[in-house]
Amino acid sequence: MLRLAGCVAGIYSCFLTWGYYQEKVSTTPYGQDALKFKFFIILNLAQSLCAATVAFLYLTLQGKSLSRPSSSLTFKYLQVALIGVIASPFSYAALKHIDYPTMILTKSCKLVPVMLMNILLYRRKFPTYKYICVALVTIGVSGFMLFAPMDDHKGKKGAAASSLYGLFLVAINLTLDGVTNSTQDQIFHAYKVTGQQMMFFMNLCMSAYMAIWLLNPFNPELGQALAFCQTHPAIIKDIAMFSICGALGQCFIFYTLEQYGSLSLVTVTVTRKLFTILLSVVAYGHQLTLQQWSMVAVVFSGIGLEAYVKRSEKLQKMAAASSITTTKTEKVIQGSPTGATTTTITSTTRQRTTIVAPKN
Ligand SMILES: Nc1ncnc2c1ncn2[C@@H]1O[C@H](COP(=O)(O)OP(=O)(O)O)[C@@H](O)[C@H]1O
């Protein structure tokens, strides 16, 4: 539980700063000519290279080997990285056709495609309570964004009228996100890999795809971006901060994926925005509408239900394990009148032994 709390704190804090720099790099005009940086693939490439380096350093410092993955695993990495690379431009393209609040609102439904893709592509089955949790978190977060006062919507970036075409682009982005997350789950199920190994290989493959795209002689993007950095060096620090925060955040993302799976990860990432707003309510005394508070309650009931079921399952498992060890202990004690062999048994068992032992 403490580990999960650490992951949540890590993801929230890194991506809070990451979001700040993402907005800064993509919306602020730089220099006297007030030009905006429009080279998103360069931004993603910088982040991927930084994330691959961080994962590599982490693995090296831990003394873990970075052995070459098998050909089937390499194929999986190439596949998941390709989908990850393709997903992002859809989201940037969508912002030209829908406004920012609509984008946030649509993105808050991400749990649905992730669950759907797990079911459709990998035939995974979920217990009924999982569907209820996904529904509660999705309704809660999207309702929260929907009921935000109109002032919050004004002045936000873009403000292009939301069009059906824009929504179609976000839908594609969400579907691809669903495929990425469910495939990552599948890799963890089918292969013996750690989160950091996947982080390294996935970012390496993504960097390779983006480099191939940018080095294509018909694409002027790389040259234009480098020229921009030369004439507006202030942006280099912002891109570096964006990449470092994204890379550090990914350490928590991949660890959460490995340990808890994509549904838990996406629950953390989709509630991120809501918790940021709640934090500002506490810190700066901002007001929430009654509807927003009710939606916060809906989200918490979803998270609470998940936590309650997980805890009950854990207690049940512990009870079952302790009854098995009790039986084993009884057998050991019956077989050895001196009871000497019981010293090798775990602490839970030892505790049990003292209860069972008097019978002998
Ligand atoms: N499953 C994942 N695998 C790898 N990176 C991820 C994953 N989920 C999120 N990320 C990273 O975290 C960033 C923020 O993700 P998220 O909070 O879901 O926002 P968005 O949906 O806008 O991408 C992504 O741009 C990506 O770099």
Side-chain angles (χ1 to χ4, degrees), residues 11 43 46 66 71 148 161 178 206 215 236 245 248 254 267 269 280 301 358:
I11 292 175
L43 216 53
L66 243 180
S71 47
M206 286 171 84
L215 291 173
I236 298 173
C245 295
L248 293 180
F254 281 93
T267 303
T269 55
S280 77
S301 58

Side-chain angles (χ1 to χ4, degrees), residues 15 18 47 107 110 181 184 250 253-254 257 265 269 272:
F15 283 104
W18 175 85
Q47 177 175 287
K107 283 245 179 181
K110 195 165 165 178
N181 280 278
Q184 286 170 321
Q250 279 197 23
I253 287 215
F254 281 93
L257 259 177
L265 169 70
T269 55
R272 178 168 63 93

Side-chain angles (χ1 to χ4, degrees), residues 311-324:
R311 197 174 150 69
S312 315
E313 280 175 358
K314 201 174 160 187
L315 288 176
Q316 267 174 11
K317 267 187 204 155
M318 272 164 66
S322 108
S323 75
I324 290 170

Side-chain angles (χ1 to χ4, degrees), residues 11-280:
I11 292 175
Y12 283 179
S13 51
C14 292
F15 283 104
L16 191 70
T17 330
W18 175 85
Y20 166 79
Y21 281 103
Q22 187 190 42
E23 190 161 358
K24 190 167 180 211
V25 170
S26 51
T27 61
T28 27
Y30 283 86
Q32 288 181 337
D33 45 4
L35 274 182
K36 285 185 188 168
F37 189 80
K38 293 209 178 83
F39 313 102
F40 301 116
I41 297 189
I42 306 276
L43 216 53
N44 288 347
L45 174 63
Q47 177 175 287
S48 280
L49 285 174
C50 194
T53 311
V54 168
F56 179 77
L57 288 177
Y58 181 91
L59 286 164
T60 313
L61 289 176
Q62 292 266 308
K64 302 226 174 88
S65 69
L66 243 180
S67 52
R68 227 184 106 212
S70 65
S71 47
S72 69
L73 181 56
T74 308
F75 178 73
K76 278 279 174 193
Y77 281 142
L78 286 168
Q79 191 187 349
V80 78
L82 182 65
I83 298 162
V85 163
I86 295 174
S88 175
F90 279 100
S91 141
Y92 286 117
L95 264 181
K96 291 186 190 141
H97 303 276
I98 58 173
D99 57 21
Y100 195 67
T102 313
M103 178 75 148
I104 298 281
L105 187 66
T106 331
K107 283 245 179 181
S108 58
C109 302
K110 195 165 165 178
L111 272 168
V112 177
V114 171
M115 187 172 226
L116 206 66
M117 288 304 148
N118 263 302
I119 297 169
L120 293 179
L121 297 179
Y122 300 108
R123 305 269 165 238
R124 284 194 64 195
K125 290 196 166 59
F126 295 100
T128 315
Y129 85 90
K130 278 267 181 202
Y131 292 96
I132 300 172
C133 293
V134 165
L136 287 173
V137 172
T138 305
I139 291 169
V141 179
S142 48
F144 183 89
M145 302 302 169
L146 193 67
F147 291 133
M150 283 319 281
D151 282 357
D152 288 2
H153 291 196
K154 280 181 203 156
K156 281 274 182 184
K157 173 179 181 279
S162 294
S163 71
L164 218 58
Y165 178 61
L167 290 176
F168 171 70
L169 293 175
V170 194
I172 294 180
N173 169 267
L174 280 178
T175 310
L176 294 174
D177 270 352
V179 177
T180 307
N181 280 278
S182 55
T183 309
Q184 286 170 321
D185 272 344
Q186 168 66 11
I187 294 176
F188 282 122
H189 281 136
Y191 302 88
K192 219 172 151 271
V193 289
T194 65
Q196 287 76 31
Q197 283 168 333
M198 186 192 280
M199 178 173 163
F200 173 75
F201 284 112
M202 196 178 150
N203 278 292
L204 194 70
C205 297
M206 286 171 84
S207 305
Y209 286 129
M210 286 184 272
I212 292 170
W213 169 260
L214 291 168
L215 291 173
N216 136 32
F218 299 105
N219 188 352
E221 243 172 300
L222 184 61
Q224 289 173 350
L226 290 176
F228 190 103
C229 292
Q230 241 171 6
T231 46
H232 308 85
I235 199 166
I236 298 173
K237 190 197 117 220
D238 293 340
I239 294 178
M241 286 303 291
F242 165 82
S243 309
I244 293 167
C245 295
L248 293 180
Q250 279 197 23
C251 294
F252 294 102
I253 287 215
F254 281 93
Y255 183 77
T256 311
L257 259 177
E258 177 196 342
Q259 297 287 325
Y260 308 101
S262 63
L263 282 185
S264 299
L265 169 70
V266 179
T267 303
V268 177
T269 55
V270 297
T271 49
R272 178 168 63 93
K273 189 98 185 146
L274 180 141
F275 278 96
T276 317
I277 295 172
L278 281 186
L279 203 70
S280 77

